[in-house]
Amino acid sequence: MAIEQTFSIIKPDAVERNLIGAINARLEAAGFVIVGMRLIQMTVEQAQNFYAEHDGKPFFDSLVEYMTSGPVVVQVLQAENAIAKYREILGATNPENAAAGTIRHDFAISMSKNSAHGSDSPASAEREIACFFGESKIFTR
Ligand code: RTP
Ligand code: MG
């Protein structure tokens, strides 16, 4: 399987509860290499652009409000089969449906405060990485 990069966000609820280290420890233990990482607070424009696929859905405005409510960690993760692999250890969107041992099962508070984001396809990963990282800011190895 090919080495891929995926885009990850440690969301405001997880940053607020000091879970950056715990989540990163899981990522590294699962074989991901963190090749890009920054702590930022998204602007409304950045969040609207990032979640553009959900524009018009009933939860869009609250999603944008939540994602801009505090600092988040944006990351580029590299591994074999990184995109699907991260979605697997992330767990289902709604933590009530997330499998035991997944990040969302263990850390998420609710459907919106669900602790982390991972790209859902190669096209999404490419688009999302480009939203936050220039090529010179990714330390591929
Ligand atoms: P994410 O993009 O944040 O990694 O989450 P996801 O792929 O698992 O889920 P997605 O469908 O892309 O939804 C993005 C975020 O919007 C919120 N959401 N709320 N029906 C709802 O109330 C609803 N559906 C989605 C969640 O916070 C989800 O993470
Ligand atoms: Mg998504």
Side-chain angles (χ1 to χ4, degrees), residues 102-123:
T102 60
I103 289 170
R104 284 170 170 168
H105 175 274
D106 293 347
F107 298 131
I109 295 168
S110 65
M111 179 86 162
S112 49
K113 296 184 174 183
N114 61 3
S115 300
H117 159 84
S119 305
D120 62 10
S121 68

Side-chain angles (χ1 to χ4, degrees), residues 65-100:
E65 190 181 341
Y66 172 60
M67 291 300 291
T68 56
S69 67
V72 299
V73 178
V74 289
Q75 306 177 293
V76 181
L77 308 177
Q78 183 174 303
E80 217 171 80
N81 195 29
I83 297 162
K85 180 175 159 136
Y86 188 35
R87 293 288 290 193
E88 201 175 308
I89 71 164
L90 191 54
T93 309
N94 184 342
E96 285 179 18
N97 303 327

Side-chain angles (χ1 to χ4, degrees), residues 18-137:
N18 290 338
L19 292 170
I20 297 171
I23 291 172
N24 281 340
R26 285 186 181 213
L27 296 176
E28 291 187 332
F32 290 99
V33 179
I34 299 169
V35 295
M37 182 158 66
R38 278 188 352 262
L39 186 66
I40 64 163
Q41 183 154 5
M42 279 193 204
T43 64
V44 168
E45 194 178 30
Q46 276 178 314
Q48 285 173 336
N49 177 52
F50 180 77
Y51 277 121
E53 68 178 296
H54 298 305
D55 194 355
K57 294 183 187 170
F59 60 85
F60 183 69
D61 288 348
S62 61
L63 174 61
V64 169
E65 190 181 341
Y66 172 60
M67 291 300 291
T68 56
S69 67
V72 299
V73 178
V74 289
Q75 306 177 293
V76 181
L77 308 177
Q78 183 174 303
E80 217 171 80
N81 195 29
I83 297 162
K85 180 175 159 136
Y86 188 35
R87 293 288 290 193
E88 201 175 308
I89 71 164
L90 191 54
T93 309
N94 184 342
E96 285 179 18
N97 303 327
T102 60
I103 289 170
R104 284 170 170 168
H105 175 274
D106 293 347
F107 298 131
I109 295 168
S110 65
M111 179 86 162
S112 49
K113 296 184 174 183
N114 61 3
S115 300
H117 159 84
S119 305
D120 62 10
S121 68
S124 298
E126 192 177 338
R127 185 188 77 83
E128 293 172 0
I129 289 169
C131 285
F132 295 97
F133 288 90
E135 262 174 48
S136 65
K137 304 296 182 195

